[in-house]
Amino acid sequence: MSNDPLKLTGNGHEVDLPVMEGSVGPKVIDIRKLYAQTDMFTFDPGFTSTASCESKITYIDGEKGELQYRGYPIEQLAADSDFMEVCYLLLFGELPTKAEKEKFVWDITHHTMLHEQLHRFFSGFRRDAHPMAIMVGVVGALAAFYHDSTEINDPHQRMVASYRLIAKIPTIAAMAYKYSVGQPFVYPSNDLSYAGNFLNMMFSVPSEDYKVNPILEEAMDLIFILHADHEQNASTSTVRLAGSSGANPFACIAAGIACLWGPAHGGANEACLNMLGEIGTVDRIPEFVARAKDKSDPFRLMGFGHRVYKNFDPRATVMRDTAHKVLKELGVDDPLFDVAMELEKIALEDPYFIEKKLYPNVDFYSGVILKAMGFPTEMFTVLFALARTSGWIAQWNEMIEDPTQKIGRPRQLFTGTPKRDYVELDER
Ligand code: CMC
């Protein structure tokens, strides 16, 4: 196939649309001049056929079930890398050398503390607030505390904001949890790893010693790697759209967190675990599978299906193995895990799910692992947000540095009432 322009003929028009080619993946039709040439927009709700930007960060082949960060397959990163290295890779494009990694880890570790005044911000929330609501509020409020990293046209300030976000997000997440259970906040410990420090801030209490379990620390780090970035998904697109207006990075990441909260996106891990709890026992699975297939019932099997993956979600495969490892380490015999395993089996053999290419996604297994590790369900999406902050901020930086970047401003197909005259109140 050549890169000849695509000819579009009809409706009184004949236009040549340039075809662009990336390094891998489908070609892209450049429609930037279409409106000027034809006085027509394109219509693509949900952006199922639209590339919103050029990016060099993450590549997904949904048909083959492949995910790569900067070219490196997720399976290799999951097996051999760690989250700090992945953050560096996403931000800077290459794996760090030993010296670069040491410096990056040192810099992130030394930005983990929150401005002390921010502690008081938490007490404004109700005790039973959903931690995602706290995350949206506190991350947005960072802009009020770190003025020296909100000038988006200064590359140094952009990088300081990026480091601050990656470093402080675990502290904020753990504080949101501690606040909800009425325990004192735990300050970060610089002698622990990124994942280990987070587990310590989550689960330690001043009254006794807490030792981070290395298997859980490894699993936590892996969960962070698997969730770090995922191309132009809804929350990443939200971060880019918010950033396209020149908004500061803290506001943009808060917007991303708000979008991630939805059950069709990051909220699916929480929804999935709630669903497994609702199913309760293996014998009730057929009833729920039947509901998922019933067009008149809005119920969907949470943790199944994906906009891009029409084959196994490669993150789910890694997560499945980790789930077994974690449950074994903790000696957990969780009936929900039996329900999950049986549900996976039944759904994968069902013609409805086969025909629609609905496979378990990353959220199907993550909830089971997180529950076994002691995280309450409300924290699941928070953990997703924590990990995804690295991807969001890398994508935000890429967007700011892109010379073709413009404010995001979609158009619409207007189907409302055309112009009409105002009717006085007593004449209506
Ligand atoms: N259970 C039952 N039927 C489903 C499901 C499901 N989980 N997902 C999709 N379908 C059906 C849907 O009814 C539709 O059928 P039809 O063609 O007959 O109308 C068909 O499959 C295509 O679905 P769609 O909604 O048009 O697909 P989409 O690409 O717009 O939606 C999705 C993708 C992830 C929102 C959807 O599959 C879903 O709601 N899944 C459950 C929520 C979930 O697990 N989300 C996590 C996604 S992975 C983590 C992340 O990246 O955030």
Side-chain angles (χ1 to χ4, degrees):
M1 253 193 297
S2 73
N3 282 347
D4 290 345
L6 200 84
K7 283 211 177 305
L8 197 66
T9 318
N11 230 295
H13 297 282
E14 187 175 328
V15 286
D16 280 348
L17 298 173
V19 171
M20 299 165 76
E21 191 168 11
S23 41
V24 267
K27 291 179 186 180
V28 165
I29 307 160
D30 180 354
I31 57 162
R32 277 175 288 188
K33 298 211 167 77
L34 189 69
Y35 177 50
Q37 288 172 337
T38 63
D39 210 21
M40 282 189 259
F41 298 135
T42 54
F43 186 63
D44 186 18
F47 305 115
T48 53
S49 297
T50 297
S52 61
C53 63
E54 191 183 317
S55 181
K56 293 182 169 58
I57 302 178
T58 293
Y59 176 72
I60 303 174
D61 186 325
E63 296 300 324
K64 292 194 197 140
E66 287 178 357
L67 167 63
Q68 292 148 19
Y69 297 161
R70 302 280 191 185
Y72 294 104
I74 193 68
E75 296 82 357
Q76 289 182 22
L77 293 170
D80 300 323
S81 185
D82 61 50
F83 184 62
M84 279 294 92
E85 205 165 73
V86 166
C87 288
Y88 186 98
L89 176 68
L90 291 171
L91 267 178
F92 300 110
E94 295 297 336
L95 288 168
T97 61
K98 215 164 175 249
E100 285 165 343
K101 184 171 174 186
E102 265 171 32
K103 173 153 180 14
F104 183 70
V105 172
W106 196 94
D107 287 343
I108 293 294
T109 308
H110 289 81
H111 278 94
T112 47
M113 273 170 65
L114 272 193
H115 192 293
E116 196 64 13
Q117 232 182 314
L118 259 166
H119 288 214
R120 272 189 265 141
F121 201 87
F122 282 81
S123 48
F125 288 97
R126 273 174 58 141
R127 222 6 118 211
D128 59 356
H130 195 288
M132 281 299 275
I134 300 184
M135 295 298 287
V136 176
V138 177
V139 172
L142 292 178
F145 289 84
Y146 300 103
H147 297 136
D148 59 344
S149 52
T150 51
E151 173 45 61
I152 64 157
N153 296 314
D154 176 346
H156 176 69
Q157 290 205 24
R158 284 205 301 273
M159 216 25 84
V160 174
S162 306
Y163 278 46
R164 280 183 169 149
L165 277 156
I166 294 172
K168 293 182 199 307
I169 199 98
T171 316
I172 300 172
M175 285 168 79
Y177 168 68
K178 287 293 191 193
Y179 181 73
S180 72
V181 288
Q183 289 180 4
F185 297 142
V186 176
Y187 284 93
S189 289
N190 286 356
D191 53 345
L192 295 175
S193 71
Y194 188 87
N197 174 49
F198 175 61
L199 290 174
N200 187 59
M201 288 190 293
M202 276 289 302
F203 298 119
S204 71
V205 286
S207 45
E208 59 186 40
D209 277 347
Y210 173 80
K211 268 249 156 304
V212 178
N213 177 329
I215 295 199
L216 301 191
E217 184 179 358
E218 199 188 310
M220 191 78 267
D221 196 74
L222 183 88
I223 290 173
F224 292 161
I225 294 176
L226 296 180
H227 286 88
D229 197 45
H230 213 228
E231 210 225 59
Q232 305 310 320
N233 57 86
S235 57
T236 303
S237 299
T238 301
V239 170
R240 279 186 179 256
L241 195 58
S244 77
S245 72
N248 72 72
F250 304 108
C252 297
I253 301 300
I257 296 173
C259 176
L260 186 79
W261 195 356
H265 193 8
N269 50 17
E270 181 176 346
C272 178
L273 205 85
N274 290 338
M275 177 194 76
L276 293 176
E278 208 191 322
I279 298 175
T281 48
V282 167
D283 58 303
R284 294 191 62 207
I285 293 174
E287 178 195 324
F288 282 82
V289 171
R291 281 186 60 195
K293 288 160 40 176
D294 181 355
K295 283 271 150 252
S296 59
D297 189 332
F299 174 78
R300 282 186 170 200
L301 278 189
M302 286 293 142
F304 276 80
H306 198 274
R307 169 63 62 79
V308 181
Y309 294 119
K310 300 303 168 199
N311 198 318
F312 234 82
D313 177 343
R315 302 168 300 173
T317 316
V318 179
M319 202 67 106
R320 192 177 192 271
D321 296 344
T322 310
H324 283 289
K325 209 166 148 189
V326 167
L327 294 189
K328 189 160 167 255
E329 164 66 16
L330 295 173
V332 172
D333 189 13
D334 189 343
L336 289 194
F337 196 59
D338 297 336
V339 174
M341 290 301 103
E342 192 57 23
L343 179 60
E344 179 196 24
K345 197 165 145 259
I346 293 180
L348 287 176
E349 286 166 359
D350 191 294
Y352 173 93
F353 287 86
I354 295 170
E355 194 190 300
K356 294 191 189 301
K357 300 189 175 170
L358 298 171
Y359 292 90
N361 57 50
V362 67
D363 290 326
F364 186 67
Y365 302 103
S366 61
V368 177
I369 306 181
L370 296 174
K371 178 171 181 265
M373 286 171 81
F375 289 99
T377 339
E378 303 77 48
M379 281 298 287
F380 293 0
T381 316
V382 173
L383 296 176
F384 195 155
L386 189 170
R388 186 57 59 85
T389 295
S390 57
W392 288 331
I393 204 66
Q395 300 264 355
W396 175 81
N397 275 291
E398 183 179 62
M399 182 199 66
I400 303 283
E401 285 162 19
D402 181 349
T404 64
Q405 183 265 327
K406 285 172 180 286
I407 184 167
R409 177 56 172 92
R411 301 305 298 264
Q412 62 177 4
L413 171 67
F414 183 69
T415 51
T417 312
K419 187 177 172 190
R420 52 181 164 171
D421 287 326
Y422 180 77
V423 182
E424 291 301 334
L425 189 58
D426 52 8
E427 287 171 28
R428 282 177 231 158

